Amino acid sequence: MSEKNRGFITTKVGLLFHFGKDNEEILVENFINLLIKKNISFHCLNDNDFDLTISQLIENINHQEQIDFTQLKESKIDENVLFFSGFTREEMENFLEILRDPRYPRFELKAVATKTNQNFLLNELIQELRQDRMVISYVIALRKGINLLKEKSEIVNNINLKEEIENEIVAIEEILININNIFDINVFKDKISKVKLIIKEIDENSHY
C-alpha cells in the first residue's frame, strides 16, 4: 500500500501509532510482526511528534521503520494511540477485528485521517480523543441507568417514588438528546449519582 485518494485527500496509506506506558513488549512485538506480515507501512510516534500536525506525521509513514523498544517505557502519556491513514472502512474494520485478539496491545484512542483533523497537532487530537472517550463512557453509564430505572420501576408501588423515577428518566433522555450541542461533565456526574440514590431507595423500600 502506498497512496490512495479518499475524497479530496490523497494520502499515504498506513498507520500512525503510539505506545503509552506499561505495555508488554511481547504484545508490541506481535503487533509489529502483524504489520510486517500484512505489508502495512507505519510510523511509530514518539514524544517529539506531539507538536507536529497529523499531515506532517503521515508523511513519516514508511515501510522500513525500526521500533526503539526503549521508548515504550518513556512515554509521557498512558494510552496507546492508533491512527488510520488511507484505509477504506472495510479495511479498517477488518484490521480492528484482528486486534481484538489478546495477543495484541489494546489501543484506547483511535482515529482516522480526515480533512478536518489533518491540520490538528497530535497533542490536540489526543486531547479531543480523550474527551470523546469520556463522553461515550458517561453516555453508556446513563443509558444503563435509564434501563435499570425502568426495570426497577416495575416493582415500585409508592406513587411518589414512581413519579420521581419517571421524571428522572425523562430528564436523562433530554440530556442525551442534546449531547451534541452541549456536554457538561458535572451534569452527567450529578445524574449518575441521582440514579444510584434512586435505585438505593427502591431497594430499601422493596424490603418492607
Side-chain angles (χ1 to χ4, degrees):
M1 291 186 285
S2 56
E3 285 195 352
K4 289 184 182 178
N5 188 284
R6 295 290 181 253
F8 297 101
I9 303 177
T10 299
T11 182
K12 280 187 175 181
V13 178
L15 296 174
L16 299 171
F17 54 83
H18 180 82
F19 293 111
K21 301 172 183 175
D22 301 325
N23 278 280
E24 294 184 38
E25 191 167 316
I26 183 61
L27 300 184
V28 175
E29 288 179 352
N30 289 342
F31 177 74
I32 301 303
N33 289 334
L34 173 67
L35 300 186
I36 294 172
K37 179 181 178 180
K38 291 191 167 294
N39 198 31
I40 298 175
S41 299
F42 62 86
H43 172 55
C44 184
L45 301 163
N46 57 61
D47 287 351
N48 295 325
D49 288 329
F50 278 67
D51 292 324
L52 297 179
T53 66
I54 298 305
S55 58
Q56 288 174 316
L57 294 172
I58 287 173
E59 289 304 309
N60 291 332
I61 291 175
N62 66 75
H63 190 60
Q64 303 296 327
E65 182 168 332
Q66 300 296 314
I67 299 296
D68 181 2
F69 286 96
T70 61
Q71 293 182 357
L72 300 181
K73 299 177 181 179
E74 300 172 357
S75 173
K76 63 182 180 181
I77 67 171
D78 295 326
E79 306 96 331
N80 292 340
V81 181
L82 182 62
F83 196 89
F84 291 87
S85 173
F87 280 60
T88 65
R89 178 180 293 275
E90 182 179 3
E91 289 168 343
M92 183 174 65
E93 290 177 350
N94 289 340
F95 189 74
L96 289 173
E97 185 63 31
I98 292 172
L99 293 186
R100 290 179 181 274
D101 191 309
R103 291 178 298 171
Y104 303 115
R106 179 172 177 263
F107 290 91
E108 294 87 355
L109 305 178
K110 296 181 282 290
V112 182
T114 66
K115 289 184 294 181
T116 303
N117 64 28
Q118 64 177 330
N119 292 320
F120 281 25
L121 298 179
L122 175 61
N123 192 50
E124 293 174 340
L125 182 60
I126 286 176
Q127 294 304 321
E128 186 166 298
L129 292 174
R130 283 173 173 161
Q131 174 75 6
D132 290 345
R133 188 165 180 251
M134 180 177 62
V135 170
I136 290 171
S137 68
Y138 278 107
V139 168
I140 291 173
L142 281 184
R143 290 199 184 283
K144 287 182 178 178
I146 287 177
N147 292 335
L148 194 53
L149 287 177
K150 288 179 178 179
E151 178 184 323
K152 293 281 188 178
S153 68
E154 295 179 1
I155 63 172
V156 173
N157 296 317
N158 184 299
I159 295 177
N160 292 331
L161 181 54
K162 204 172 190 69
E163 184 177 347
E164 182 182 3
I165 293 171
E166 291 173 355
N167 289 338
E168 195 61 29
I169 290 174
V170 170
I172 293 173
E173 287 177 337
E174 187 174 340
I175 290 172
L176 294 177
I177 288 173
N178 294 318
I179 193 170
N180 289 330
N181 299 322
I182 185 170
F183 173 74
D184 187 333
I185 188 172
N186 292 321
V187 171
F188 273 70
K189 286 181 176 180
D190 288 345
K191 285 301 177 186
I192 291 172
S193 296
K194 185 67 179 296
V195 168
K196 290 179 179 179
L197 287 174
I198 293 176
I199 291 172
K200 181 180 179 182
E201 185 177 357
I202 294 171
D203 290 341
E204 289 175 349
N205 286 335
S206 67
H207 296 307
Y208 297 102

